[in-house]
Amino acid sequence: MPFEHTRVQTSTDAIDAMSKMVYSIPQDVAYRTDAITVMPGLGEHWRVTDAVDAWESTPAPRARYLLISGTNSAETSQDIYTLENLQEDPVFLHRVEGVRVQGHADNAPHQAEWLADQVEELGVTSAAVYVSPYHLLRATLTIAKTFKTRGLGNVPVYPIPVAVPPDTIVPETGKNSWQSVPGENERIRKYSEPPFENVMTLPELQDYVRFLWSHHDIIRTARAARRAPQSRA
């Protein structure tokens, strides 16, 4: 009997599809966006260091803003970021002009609301969001849903997974990325339904990924820059 390529989707199928298609976005778009954002937490300093590397290390930085959303003060492994301690170990931020820091945030929706506030206030036209791979899907679904609800659906937010080995232990939980995925999937199911409804559903994400690919020049510009002939001295 031939393998069925299409069948009725379960909730697991939907989350699997969403994660695959979110990761279809080329990562080099981060260097072409108006803002670089990050959702830190759980003691994972690599989320912030990756975002800061993108903010500072490009040959000609295009981003006008670095937006660092808050962390939960109840976490024992995570400091509350400030502009001052971001300039110290392990982040070593140097380019401070254009950096905004939330401070405390209760959860991902609280982080997303703050990012929406900054986008509205600063007139941000596009953004890249840096998050650990296991959390990136829920972070993207939360930000995109918040922006849509706030009337900011025309501002593309491109998901960028930070570079961290999946066996790395998350300081706050004592689990690695592999072990963290089931909890993330359960939260996506829970928060997509009433009374929460603060993450996108599969149909909403399908529309959103189509929007990211089809209605902006950022991806094409990034690819053209990469393919352009390099001058030789």
Side-chain angles (χ1 to χ4, degrees):
M1 182 176 179
F3 179 77
E4 288 287 340
H5 288 281
T6 60
R7 59 183 174 84
V8 176
Q9 283 192 329
T10 66
S11 61
T12 300
D13 293 330
I15 292 174
D16 186 39
M18 287 192 290
S19 63
K20 286 182 170 67
M21 301 315 150
V22 159
Y23 286 97
S24 75
I25 305 298
Q27 294 181 38
D28 52 6
V29 299
Y31 299 103
R32 300 282 161 176
T33 56
D34 191 32
I36 292 172
T37 72
V38 57
M39 296 177 75
L42 302 181
E44 296 183 40
H45 63 80
W46 44 85
R47 300 188 193 183
V48 179
T49 53
D50 255 29
V52 169
D53 284 347
W55 169 248
E56 296 188 332
S57 66
T58 55
R62 293 176 178 270
R64 293 185 298 149
Y65 302 106
L66 172 63
L67 307 176
I68 302 174
S69 59
T71 55
N72 193 322
S73 57
E75 295 177 5
T76 59
S77 63
Q78 178 69 64
D79 292 331
I80 298 296
Y81 286 118
T82 66
L83 195 57
E84 290 71 30
N85 65 25
L86 284 165
Q87 298 174 63
E88 303 169 352
D89 185 30
V91 179
F92 296 114
L93 172 71
H94 297 99
R95 182 187 169 200
V96 296
E97 185 177 357
V99 178
R100 291 199 173 191
V101 187
Q102 181 180 12
H104 172 84
D106 293 326
N107 47 39
H110 190 187
Q111 291 175 315
E113 289 286 354
W114 179 81
L115 290 173
D117 290 341
Q118 304 309 302
V119 167
E120 283 186 328
E121 179 183 341
L122 301 171
V124 170
T125 58
S126 61
V129 59
Y130 280 76
V131 183
S132 297
Y134 75 87
H135 181 48
L136 184 60
L137 177 59
R138 182 161 66 94
T140 301
L141 296 174
T142 303
I143 294 173
K145 181 75 171 188
T146 300
F147 279 28
K148 179 181 178 181
T149 302
R150 294 277 296 269
L152 298 170
N154 63 330
V155 179
V157 179
Y158 295 93
I160 309 294
V162 305
V164 58
D167 289 328
T168 303
I169 296 299
V170 177
E172 185 70 19
T173 66
K175 299 178 180 180
N176 63 27
S177 293
W178 299 102
Q179 297 166 321
S180 301
V181 168
E184 286 293 299
N185 289 349
E186 183 56 36
R187 290 179 181 90
I188 289 170
R189 294 186 188 97
K190 177 180 179 180
Y191 297 145
S192 65
E193 300 173 350
F196 303 101
E197 296 182 284
N198 54 25
V199 302
M200 278 189 165
T201 62
L202 176 58
E204 289 176 314
L205 183 67
Q206 288 173 324
D207 288 340
Y208 190 69
V209 171
R210 190 176 300 117
F211 161 73
L212 293 182
W213 273 101
S214 302
H215 293 282
H216 285 271
D217 294 330
I218 296 173
I219 291 176
R220 290 189 292 273
T221 302
R223 287 182 166 181
R226 187 176 68 247
R227 293 170 180 168
Q230 300 296 312
S231 60
R232 297 179 179 177

